[in-house]
Amino acid sequence: MPGATRAFASSGTPADCTMLGISVLYRAKRFDYIVSGVNRGDNLGLHVVYSGTVAGAREGAMRTGAVGVAVSLDSYSRSADYSEAARFTAELVSLFLFSYGQLD
């Protein structure tokens, strides 16, 4: 993870990763937002029923009361470029934090 001071990896589902983060790694923290993704393929229509990315956001929201956000890239290409989706997601989170007075 470029620029990260600390990173974790898990082979579990997105919901498993969310639970690991909120229940084990950061159990003493309060979360306002849970961002799950960026995943390959869209999370629209019936896909939200079985999407692991949506499940990660939903699990975090249900367990913490935070806002859950699932982010996907509307592409199934294995060579897709996720950098723009990651940049957009980071910008979106910053806007949320700024808009709600959590970031000055």
Side-chain angles (χ1 to χ4, degrees):
M1 307 293 297
T5 56
R6 192 171 180 193
F8 300 94
S10 171
S11 61
T13 67
D16 293 337
C17 293
T18 298
M19 291 306 300
L20 177 65
I22 64 177
S23 299
V24 178
L25 299 173
Y26 298 102
R27 68 177 164 261
K29 299 280 185 183
R30 181 183 166 276
F31 293 91
D32 296 311
Y33 305 96
I34 303 291
V35 180
S36 181
V38 174
N39 76 294
R40 182 167 37 109
D42 61 59
N43 290 324
L44 301 170
L46 287 176
H47 294 178
V48 301
V49 175
Y50 55 82
S51 167
T53 307
V54 173
R58 184 177 51 237
E59 187 73 22
M62 289 188 315
R63 300 270 182 180
T64 67
V67 174
V69 180
V71 182
S72 61
L73 186 66
D74 189 16
S75 172
Y76 287 93
S77 171
R78 294 205 181 272
S79 62
D81 180 5
Y82 289 79
S83 61
E84 184 64 20
R87 186 201 61 74
F88 174 79
T89 303
E91 191 173 309
L92 182 67
V93 169
S94 292
L95 285 171
F96 279 148
L97 296 175
F98 185 77
S99 296
Y100 293 101
Q102 298 167 351
L103 190 69
D104 295 317

